[in-house]
Amino acid sequence: MSIIKSQHKEEHLGSSDFITDIVIGMSDGLTVPFALAAGLSGAVQSNAVVITAGIAEIVAGSIAMGLGGYLAGKTEQEHYQSELKRESDEVEIIPEKEKEEVRLIFAEYGLSDHTQTIIAEELAKDKVKWVDFMMKYELGLEKPDSNRARNSAATIGLSYIAGGLIPLSGYFFTHTPAQGLLISAVLTVICLFLFGYFKSKVTGQPLFKGALKVTLIGIAAATAAFIVAKTFNNML
Amino acid sequence: MSIIKSQHKEEHLGSSDFITDIVIGMSDGLTVPFALAAGLSGAVQSNAVVITAGIAEIVAGSIAMGLGGYLAGKTEQEHYQSELKRESDEVEIIPEKEKEEVRLIFAEYGLSDHTQTIIAEELAKDKVKWVDFMMKYELGLEKPDSNRARNSAATIGLSYIAGGLIPLSGYFFTHTPAQGLLISAVLTVICLFLFGYFKSKVTGQPLFKGALKVTLIGIAAATAAFIVAKTFNNML
């Protein structure tokens, strides 16, 4: 019973790509702009510089993640289509070789020669399904959703922006980078933990441990950025 | 002949995870710090501020990417192990249900009831291979390499640092952010194109088109960051 339930849950979670994209964009958006702002807080005297750098980072990061993700998705689609064409051609032109490939997949799992032959011959009866089978089980490729790349890019990019504005907001209403950092750190650590918790829920990880991981990555990045930026700035 | 060759090539490329990690880290490292530095160049008067912000970003980004990648790899391993345990338990406790799942996989591809039964019965003879089969073909999970997470994190993080220092180097030996930006842009666009070319080679994309994509993402991110940071700075 619990097996069926957890499988059902996996399917359910797998379908909420939208929520996964929000979590990806937002937890990265919280981490890097937070760490950058923290790093600068130890090195410059003006909130305006921290905010300007933070805004520049959010723009750069959201475009790199969003556009990068979009183009990666497009590439995945093109790759799928070209492999689909190749497999379709292969079952037409060299069906015996393709049957041999089917046999090899099952030979690996110890199935008898006789059974390998039956599988290959039966699969070969329906070429569309045969090609589908080869795509999934020989090449390990799933058909990508054609709207997915665009939607995913927009969601990740916008979530990165929303996430990045949280740590930056600490510098809007304070007068010195030190004050800004204090508010920013408190706000961001709370949000990192909440998003880490939510992310663990979406990806099926242990909730508290997952939340702690996300929070610690953020704190580690911010602490390292702070120390290195301060050291570097003293040298310049 | 060409089919065999290209498959052989894919296997070969698939094995060079190290090179893939270098390319991932470096092309991201080139993009975001470049765009951040460009954005700040339109808004601040001192190279020291651009360099400090750039260093803080490189530290933050490399830790977020490296540590994030490491923990994601660890999670993947834990997930694989827990699913492996579940499948192993299932073939012991509810073998008939697992056989039914095997049958369902093949029913989807139009194989006859008789053949489904033969496959399920033959697979069930070797429980280790049966579990392997379920892991790969029911759940779509491949066994993760246990050293991979750590090595991958280090490679991506270090490549991000190496990539990020290229755009920043333009500001080291110039006197104003405008001069720095000029050198930085020329250097980075050349490197983005070279890395895009190399990345396309590694991932099997069209070389020139792939190189252009990587370069244009970098230019788009830098241009947007420049415009937004300048606008924002004028408002502050």
Side-chain angles (χ1 to χ4, degrees), chain B residues 39 53 63 98 156 163 174 181 209 232:
Chain B
I63 290 177
E98 287 301 294
I156 292 178
T174 52
L181 177 57
K209 199 177 155 192
F232 234 86

Side-chain angles (χ1 to χ4, degrees), chain A residues 82-113:
Chain A
S82 77
E83 291 294 320
L84 188 67
K85 193 183 171 312
R86 201 172 81 178
E87 284 297 329
S88 302
D89 289 349
E90 285 179 9
V91 303
E92 293 293 343
I93 300 164
I94 44 167
E96 293 310 317
K97 193 180 167 304
E98 289 300 293
K99 283 182 191 170
E100 191 53 38
E101 287 177 3
V102 173
R103 295 170 57 93
L104 277 175
I105 293 174
F106 295 102
E108 211 184 303
Y109 294 98
L111 266 56
S112 67
D113 267 4

Side-chain angles (χ1 to χ4, degrees), chain B residues 114-163:
Chain B
H114 179 67
T115 304
Q116 292 169 31
T117 308
I118 296 175
I119 298 171
E121 293 302 330
E122 281 201 21
L123 260 181
K125 284 180 191 163
D126 183 335
K127 281 185 179 161
V128 174
K129 284 184 177 163
W130 189 13
V131 169
D132 276 355
F133 181 87
M134 299 307 277
M135 291 300 286
K136 189 162 172 193
Y137 293 107
E138 187 202 355
L139 302 175
L141 296 174
E142 302 267 0
K143 191 176 167 58
D145 178 350
S146 57
N147 293 321
R148 173 102 182 89
R150 194 188 54 228
N151 293 343
S152 178
T155 310
I156 292 178
L158 290 173
S159 304
Y160 190 91
I161 294 172

Side-chain angles (χ1 to χ4, degrees), chain B residues 44-66:
Chain B
V44 301
Q45 270 69 52
S46 145
N47 277 16
V49 173
V50 178
I51 293 171
T52 305
I55 295 287
E57 209 290 330
I58 290 171
V59 172
S62 62
I63 290 177
M65 269 188 104

Side-chain angles (χ1 to χ4, degrees), chain B residues 33-100:
Chain B
F34 168 49
L36 170 68
L40 277 177
S41 299
V44 301
Q45 270 69 52
S46 145
N47 277 16
V49 173
V50 178
I51 293 171
T52 305
I55 295 287
E57 209 290 330
I58 290 171
V59 172
S62 62
I63 290 177
M65 269 188 104
L67 200 55
Y70 174 72
L71 293 176
K74 278 277 170 208
T75 303
E76 196 189 329
Q77 276 174 42
E78 286 163 17
H79 181 61
Y80 185 87
Q81 290 304 330
S82 77
E83 291 294 321
L84 187 68
K85 191 180 172 313
R86 201 172 82 177
E87 284 297 329
S88 302
D89 289 349
E90 284 179 9
V91 303
E92 293 294 342
I93 300 163
I94 44 166
E96 293 310 317
K97 196 182 165 299
E98 287 301 294
K99 282 181 190 168
E100 190 55 39

